[in-house]
Amino acid sequence: MSNILIQARVHKFLFTADIKQMYRQIQIHATDREYLRILWRFEPDSPIQEYRQCTVTYGTCCPPHQALRTMQYLATIDESRFPIAAKVLKNDMFVDDILTEAQSEEDTLLCQQQVIALCAQGKFQLRKWASNLPSILQAVPTSECSMDPAVLFDDEGQAILKILGMYWNPTQDYFSYNYHSPSLTTTKRSVLSDMARIFDPLGFLAPVTFLAKYVMQLLWTSGIGWDDLIPKQILTIWKRYQQELKGIQAVTVPRRITLDGRPTYELHTFSDSTEKGYAAVVYLRCISGSTIQCHLITAKSKVAPLKHVTIPRLELRGALLAAKLLHSVHHIFASIIPITTMHAWTDSTTALAWIKSSPHRWATFVANRTSQLQELTPPSI
């Protein structure tokens, strides 16, 4: 999911759609239906009847794979006729959601037409259309749009849609977050429930979610039960966290991270750590003439292990996390935009000395991580 969201930030125009009743459009082979029998009766005193499931079944482990494998096969067999749409189905789908983009209006409309035509080959109907390009919504019936195009693109319209768990404003083209009121009780179970309400696949709220992770670690080590009231010391931290959490409603992140023309792009990753944990973040630096922009791409944070670890070793863990993020983001962007240089930053001189030396010189803990770091990112960057 995070890969699709990162890709969706590159080009100027974006559209999203949902496949209507995807499971119900995929038939099970006749010989396999014998293993999908259902015993059912509509009234307690009625005789039990036997049914056979003819389409992909909900509620078991295999249906998501069966459905996505069907979409992949559809893209493969018709790739010669619909090359753009085939690429979308292979790379820009998450379960039954399609999220893709293009640089020009003509390319975006062509992509939409091919996606609709290719899905129609498999009897799949697309609905819940949303886009920051009005002509995309005007090309489909209003009943199949997430919102009325006339309302969505009103100058004063503030329509907020949800795409892959992220809140997106198509009119002003930015991501945002929603605040959910906390539970009335403060138990270990309610704290975990409140934490789960914050969905942050790209890590824009990493400083916020890190504190939540730290609180959960404190609760876990306190030894209290799931429905016990949390200790007063931890309660103080949690209450302050809840009060400050309202501020996420003011956080907005631009969706598009590129510039028009022929800019140069650089990737910069930073890592840092404290006694409580460590984190890493990746930025994209765009340079076009005298215009320079920097955009947050993704971030991750982790709490420190319960077993005591020295700060230099935590800094090394943070550097490894940063290297993994940088490698992942570069792999996503490699075929989309040209990355001229990459830079990895840390303020730990000890970690830098470990990274720039041969791993065989160090103990197992340091050697394993420096070896991974050198494979992911050359020490020179």
Side-chain angles (χ1 to χ4, degrees):
M1 180 189 294
S2 59
N3 290 3
I4 296 175
L5 285 170
I6 290 174
Q7 289 176 178
R9 302 186 66 195
V10 173
H11 294 303
K12 186 174 182 180
F13 298 112
L14 173 73
F15 72 78
T16 178
D18 171 83
I19 299 177
K20 181 180 179 180
Q21 299 177 345
M22 182 168 67
Y23 287 4
R24 289 290 175 252
Q25 310 309 315
I26 304 173
Q27 290 193 349
I28 300 296
H29 195 277
T31 57
D32 294 329
R33 296 172 190 173
E34 296 296 323
Y35 305 100
L36 296 174
R37 301 191 184 196
I38 300 174
L39 301 180
W40 185 259
R41 59 183 178 187
F42 292 94
E43 299 293 339
D45 55 350
S46 300
I48 295 177
Q49 296 178 306
E50 183 179 297
Y51 296 88
R52 288 176 177 81
Q53 187 78 17
C54 297
T55 58
V56 171
T57 309
Y58 286 90
T60 57
C61 296
C62 57
H65 168 75
Q66 292 173 334
L68 291 177
R69 184 65 183 85
T70 301
M71 299 303 296
Q72 295 281 322
Y73 181 70
L74 176 63
T76 301
I77 61 176
D78 281 329
E79 187 170 10
S80 59
R81 296 170 58 197
F82 308 103
I84 299 175
K87 185 178 179 181
V88 170
L89 295 190
K90 290 181 178 180
N91 303 316
D92 299 337
M93 275 195 66
F94 185 79
V95 191
D96 60 348
D97 291 316
I98 294 174
L99 181 65
T100 191
E101 19 82 65
Q103 189 61 27
S104 67
E105 181 175 354
E106 293 77 12
D107 290 343
T108 310
L109 288 169
L110 177 60
C111 180
Q112 180 194 36
Q113 293 166 7
Q114 286 204 12
V115 168
I116 292 174
L118 178 55
C119 288
Q121 297 299 307
K123 307 302 181 183
F124 295 107
Q125 179 184 352
L126 296 176
R127 60 176 184 172
K128 297 183 180 179
W129 288 90
S131 177
N132 60 342
L133 180 62
S135 54
I136 286 288
L137 303 185
Q138 293 165 359
V140 295
T142 304
S143 59
E144 296 179 2
C145 298
S146 291
M147 294 188 68
D148 187 341
V151 175
L152 184 60
F153 293 97
D154 190 294
D155 291 339
E156 299 179 359
Q158 295 295 322
I160 302 294
L161 305 174
K162 203 170 183 180
I163 56 170
L164 299 186
M166 294 288 293
Y167 289 93
W168 176 49
N169 184 318
T171 308
Q172 300 183 13
D173 206 13
Y174 64 74
F175 292 125
S176 61
Y177 289 89
N178 193 22
Y179 169 74
H180 299 277
S181 300
S183 304
L184 297 177
T185 58
T186 50
T187 63
K188 185 176 176 181
R189 189 185 305 276
S190 68
V191 168
L192 182 60
S193 175
D194 289 341
M195 287 171 52
R197 295 180 182 180
I198 303 177
F199 186 69
D200 186 33
L202 296 181
F204 297 150
L205 300 180
V208 177
T209 55
F210 173 78
L211 181 57
K213 296 174 188 176
Y214 178 68
V215 169
M216 180 50 65
Q217 187 183 61
L218 293 178
L219 289 174
W220 203 263
T221 56
S222 67
I224 64 172
W226 282 105
D227 296 310
D228 296 337
L229 295 177
I230 66 178
K232 185 176 180 180
Q233 183 179 2
I234 303 176
L235 180 62
T236 302
I237 301 175
W238 183 245
K239 289 294 185 184
R240 194 183 77 177
Y241 167 81
Q242 288 179 328
Q243 292 173 357
E244 296 177 353
L245 188 61
K246 298 177 181 178
I248 68 172
Q249 296 180 109
V251 175
T252 59
V253 180
R255 198 268 312 169
R256 190 185 177 195
I257 55 176
T258 57
L259 296 172
D260 293 328
R262 292 181 172 271
T264 57
Y265 296 103
E266 301 174 356
L267 285 176
H268 293 256
T269 183
F270 298 84
S271 67
D272 203 356
S273 70
T274 68
E275 293 180 352
K276 297 179 180 179
Y278 52 96
V281 62
V282 178
Y283 288 90
L284 180 69
R285 187 168 184 255
C286 314
I287 306 169
S288 179
S290 60
T291 302
I292 299 177
Q293 293 183 359
C294 291
H295 293 279
L296 172 63
I297 304 301
T298 186
K300 280 189 178 181
S301 63
K302 293 189 177 183
V303 293
L306 294 177
K307 182 180 178 181
H308 177 69
V309 180
T310 62
I311 292 296
R313 289 194 170 194
L314 286 175
E315 293 277 10
L316 184 62
R317 283 175 178 252
L320 179 57
L321 180 61
K324 289 179 178 179
L325 279 182
L326 181 64
H327 179 77
S328 175
V329 171
H330 180 258
H331 178 72
I332 295 171
F333 286 156
S335 60
I336 306 175
I337 55 177
I339 302 298
T340 56
T341 57
M342 296 190 296
H343 301 275
W345 305 89
T346 178
D347 60 359
S348 172
T349 54
T350 304
L352 286 172
W354 285 336
I355 296 168
K356 293 182 178 181
S357 301
S358 176
H360 80 274
R361 297 180 55 188
W362 314 115
T364 304
F365 179 94
V366 176
N368 288 342
R369 285 157 181 79
T370 53
S371 177
Q372 293 180 61
L373 271 161
Q374 292 176 4
E375 290 179 4
L376 293 170
T377 56
S380 59
I381 70 170

